[in-house]
Amino acid sequence: MTPASDSLSFANRIHGTTRVLAVIGHPVAHSFSPAMQNAALAARGLDLCYVAFDVNPEAVGDAVRAVCALKMSGMNVTVPHKEAVIPFLDELSEEASRVGAVNTIQNVDGRLIGHNTDVYGILAALRETAGLATLPSTVAILGASGAARGVTYAVCSRPEVATVRLFNRTPEKAESLAREMSAWTAATLEAHPLTPDALREGLADAGLLINATSVGMHPYSDASPVPDGVGLHPGLVTYDIVFNPPVTRLMRQARAAGGRAYCGADMLVHQGARAFEIWTGLTPSIEVMKSVFTPAPEG
Ligand code: ATR
């Protein structure tokens, strides 16, 4: 497309009837969601557009109230507002309430419902991308903050998972997350420090390792949450929720040990696809949504 036909097609998409979707975050300029959602909305021919708003923490309530005032179809919420939006909502889905974080707001005739589609996103990515329709019985998760809470809830919701090992630099946070999730899941949760010895022991019989820390993310892509010399094994599938860079140091370590490893791009796509379904009642094209990412090499 030429720049002129680009601007023409943009102008043709926005009308007096066009309703707005948005993501709020702080900062938010780096977000892939506008490109991904607008591509999917355009492919479906829907009279909706999606923008990003940088919202300061003290303005979160005003931003959520704007969903009703502006009759927006809904909103995505990203770091650092996923918990802060909750007091301004009318209802929470079960998973949003148990995770304690909302990444998708649905406007149902002025009633605001909070969802957490990160939970769907990680399970869909494990199923579709990593080929894990059934999860292994022992799963190791690195991290214990916001992202790890969603991942842990998702893994614990699967009846085939018997043991979940949480590893965190600050072990008290892993202990408190393990206690909280143990209140409702049949899986046994263990909390460990993120140390070479604990990892060596805890990964030996695990079938799936999920990195839910921010370690290894651009611009610190030389870092890995797993120290060299900790035995990753060929039977261990590694899912790194970091997607920039698309091949993280942890993924390289896992592949060098003979295992399969995937980055978090597809989790982002699937959480966005689920949000799209919540807002529109329609299924978006996953292929169109994926096309905004540089494809990660196969694991
Ligand atoms: P948040 O503000 O949500 O806590 P964060 O500081 O990026 O975000 O941390 C996210 C996760 O990555 C946490 O589990 C954090 O461990 P702590 O709970 O001990 O802070 C983990 N994390 C961040 N940097 C780390 C590092 N250099 N080594 C190990 N874990 C790290």
Side-chain angles (χ1 to χ4, degrees):
M1 238 189 245
T2 64
S5 68
D6 245 355
S7 57
L8 203 62
S9 76
F10 175 74
N12 285 341
R13 279 218 342 101
I14 309 291
H15 308 279
T17 52
T18 306
R19 290 181 77 184
V20 176
L21 292 160
V23 54
I24 60 166
H26 182 66
V28 80
H30 62 281
S31 173
F32 282 105
S33 292
M36 191 169 78
Q37 295 290 356
N38 282 313
L41 292 165
R44 272 286 195 172
L46 294 171
D47 193 12
L48 285 158
C49 71
Y50 187 110
V51 294
F53 292 123
D54 189 320
V55 172
N56 292 338
E58 64 276 15
V60 162
D62 289 339
V64 173
R65 280 188 284 268
V67 173
C68 292
L70 303 178
K71 298 192 176 72
M72 295 169 65
S73 299
M75 192 177 253
N76 274 143
V77 182
T78 190
V79 181
H81 302 320
K82 289 184 182 188
E83 294 90 21
V85 295
I86 290 177
F88 304 100
L89 303 176
D90 298 303
E91 201 182 308
L92 292 183
S93 69
E94 186 183 318
E95 84 281 346
S97 149
R98 289 221 161 113
V99 173
V102 162
N103 80 325
T104 301
I105 299 172
Q106 177 188 22
N107 180 3
V108 181
D109 302 324
R111 205 175 152 69
L112 300 182
I113 304 171
H115 300 264
N116 187 311
T117 71
D118 292 331
V119 170
Y120 175 89
I122 182 70
L123 293 175
L126 290 172
R127 185 180 65 240
E128 309 288 329
T129 308
L132 297 176
T134 304
L135 299 187
S137 67
T138 301
V139 177
I141 297 171
L142 312 182
S145 63
R149 293 182 63 85
V151 166
T152 305
Y153 173 85
V155 167
C156 288
S157 72
R158 300 296 313 212
E160 69 271 27
V161 174
T163 306
V164 179
R165 299 200 175 114
L166 304 177
F167 297 86
N168 200 46
R169 177 177 60 179
T170 313
E172 296 75 27
K173 279 167 68 181
E175 280 158 24
S176 123
L177 179 57
R179 258 196 311 277
E180 216 183 296
M181 296 284 163
S182 294
W184 61 269
T185 180
T188 301
L189 282 119
E190 302 171 2
H192 301 277
L194 188 64
T195 58
D197 283 347
L199 285 168
R200 207 168 284 122
E201 197 173 325
L203 296 182
D205 64 344
L208 172 63
L209 166 65
I210 303 175
N211 175 37
T213 74
S214 47
V215 182
M217 197 183 286
H218 174 81
Y220 304 105
S221 47
D222 284 344
S224 165
V226 176
D228 281 327
V230 166
L232 301 175
H233 54 87
L236 186 67
V237 175
T238 299
Y239 195 91
D240 196 335
I241 69 162
V242 173
F243 56 85
N244 183 17
V247 182
T248 62
R249 167 124 188 252
L250 174 63
M251 290 167 65
R252 288 200 301 273
Q253 290 169 292
R255 289 173 183 174
R260 293 187 285 131
Y262 305 90
C263 81
D266 287 353
M267 176 180 170
L268 190 70
V269 167
H270 286 291
Q271 66 75 29
R274 181 74 194 114
F276 185 107
E277 283 172 8
I278 287 170
W279 296 321
T280 68
L282 299 169
T283 308
S285 161
I286 297 291
E287 289 317 307
V288 166
M289 295 180 102
K290 277 188 187 177
S291 68
V292 306
F293 288 101
T294 312
E298 284 304 308

